[in-house]
Amino acid sequence: MSASSRASAPPRVLTVAGSDSGGGAGIQADLKTMLALGVHGMSVLTAVTAQNSLGVQGAWELPVEAVRAQYRSVVDDIGVDAVKTGMLSSAELVESVAELIGGTAVPSVVDPVGVSKHGDSLLAASALDSVRTKLLPVATVATPNLDEVAQLTGVEVESEDGMRRAAAAVLAYGPTWVLIKGGHLSGDAVDFLTDGSEEHWLRAPRFDNRHTHGTGCTLASAIASGLAKGQSVPEAVAAAKEYVTGAIAAGFALGGGIGPVDHGWRFGAGDA
């Protein structure tokens, strides 16, 4: 095939997040999701973790200058159509990444990762204020789960009724949209998307499958992939919810603990 007849490059999505050595969450989940959804995934590594199905045994943050250099290297040459953030463990990292995203005129999805699926803390307490005042204001969509809502705002949600109050508390920090993930509630898996005026309730059946490692990373990356394709926020979130619901349903055992969702479920060939 000649160079002139090759297909044009797909939309470009950049993830700024930590590595999961077990392959279920973090950068690894992000890139698998992007591949499955037909966009070109690129990465800025913020931390290296020693992590498996049982938990996080260690984490090593990269220097801010390394994070900045990766970001500039990708964006200045290749360009980007959407950015997604994950694990940013320190205030200095949060503030640097917020500054980089604020200077890049594309949609951004902020997953304010606070704790891992196993309950391991992934965000220093001192960084919380930086997330509130620097990172959330540059987010097109923020995607906190209920534990992260409580961490960031102090609002405890115990039922669907509390999700509007949680969303209002997060929106007060400046993101354009917020998706409150209600996966920790009982009953159906219900998420609530709003920009303060529009409201969208997204419901899916809850599957009897504990292998859900990487759910949050996968959802945020799927939203960013939709935005990079030119979808509106409600369209991107609805498509991402459908994708992650299928990935959860197909999640599989790996190791002795919580296995990952199946990023390649649509291909019927195991984890892509």
Side-chain angles (χ1 to χ4, degrees), residues 152-197:
L152 290 165
T153 70
V155 173
E156 302 276 354
V157 178
E158 296 177 355
S159 68
E160 283 186 33
D161 293 342
M163 294 176 79
R164 275 195 182 92
R165 191 162 51 93
V170 176
L171 282 173
Y173 290 116
T176 308
W177 291 82
V178 62
L179 178 67
I180 303 295
K181 298 181 295 192
H184 294 180
L185 297 175
S186 57
D188 284 351
V190 180
D191 301 328
F192 177 58
L193 174 70
T194 183
D195 63 353
S197 55

Side-chain angles (χ1 to χ4, degrees), residues 20 50-58 116 118 120:
D20 171 6
Q51 186 172 169
N52 55 27
S53 70
L54 300 173
V56 179
Q57 292 81 44
S116 76
H118 307 88
D120 303 291

Side-chain angles (χ1 to χ4, degrees), residues 12 17 21 38 65 67 75 90 103 123 125 169-170 186 202 208 246 255 266 271:
R12 304 151 297 176
S21 54
E65 55 267 32
V67 171
V75 173
S90 70
L123 181 70
V170 176
S186 57
L202 299 98
D208 184 19
R266 284 179 171 159
D271 200 7

Side-chain angles (χ1 to χ4, degrees), residues 66-80:
V67 171
R68 282 183 168 277
Q70 291 175 80
Y71 191 100
R72 290 265 60 93
S73 176
V74 169
V75 173
D76 293 348
D77 172 49
I78 299 172
V80 66

Side-chain angles (χ1 to χ4, degrees), residues 15-18 25-35 84 86 217-218 221 225 263:
T15 170
V16 184
I27 288 277
Q28 287 82 350
D30 297 340
L31 294 176
K32 291 176 188 181
T33 299
M34 292 167 192
L35 177 64
K84 175 258 175 189
C217 306
T218 299
S221 293
S225 297
H263 299 96

Side-chain angles (χ1 to χ4, degrees), residues 12-239:
R12 304 151 297 176
V13 183
L14 177 61
T15 170
V16 184
S19 169
D20 171 6
S21 54
I27 288 277
Q28 287 82 350
D30 297 340
L31 294 176
K32 291 176 188 181
T33 299
M34 292 167 192
L35 177 64
L37 295 179
V39 302
H40 176 67
M42 306 171 291
S43 61
V44 170
L45 204 62
T46 62
V48 175
T49 68
Q51 186 172 169
N52 55 27
S53 70
L54 300 173
V56 179
Q57 292 81 44
W60 297 268
E61 182 182 306
L62 266 68
V64 167
E65 55 267 32
V67 171
R68 282 183 168 277
Q70 291 175 80
Y71 191 100
R72 290 265 60 93
S73 176
V74 169
V75 173
D76 293 348
D77 172 49
I78 299 172
V80 66
D81 297 301
V83 179
K84 175 258 175 189
T85 70
M87 178 183 175
L88 303 172
S89 50
S90 70
E92 190 179 13
L93 260 183
V94 170
E95 291 173 13
S96 295
V97 169
E99 182 184 345
L100 289 164
I101 291 174
T104 308
V106 297
S108 60
V109 181
V110 169
D111 185 16
V113 177
V115 290
S116 76
K117 182 70 69 181
H118 307 88
D120 303 291
S121 178
L122 299 174
L123 181 70
S126 59
L128 279 171
D129 196 52
S130 297
V131 172
R132 296 181 191 108
T133 62
K134 304 291 186 183
L135 191 58
L136 288 177
V138 300
T140 305
V141 190
T143 64
N145 63 30
L146 299 185
D147 289 340
E148 290 154 357
V149 166
Q151 242 188 343
L152 290 165
T153 70
V155 173
E156 302 276 354
V157 178
E158 296 177 355
S159 68
E160 283 186 33
D161 293 342
M163 294 176 79
R164 275 195 182 92
R165 191 162 51 93
V170 176
L171 282 173
Y173 290 116
T176 308
W177 291 82
V178 62
L179 178 67
I180 303 295
K181 298 181 295 192
H184 294 180
L185 297 175
S186 57
D188 284 351
V190 180
D191 301 328
F192 177 58
L193 174 70
T194 183
D195 63 353
S197 55
E198 268 188 61
E199 291 186 352
H200 302 268
W201 291 92
L202 299 98
R203 298 179 184 275
R206 187 178 299 276
F207 300 102
D208 184 19
N209 184 359
R210 73 191 191 99
H211 301 302
T212 56
H213 186 49
T215 309
C217 306
T218 299
L219 180 65
S221 293
I223 295 169
S225 297
L227 294 176
K229 294 175 182 178
Q231 295 174 353
S232 68
V233 169
E235 288 170 339
V237 171

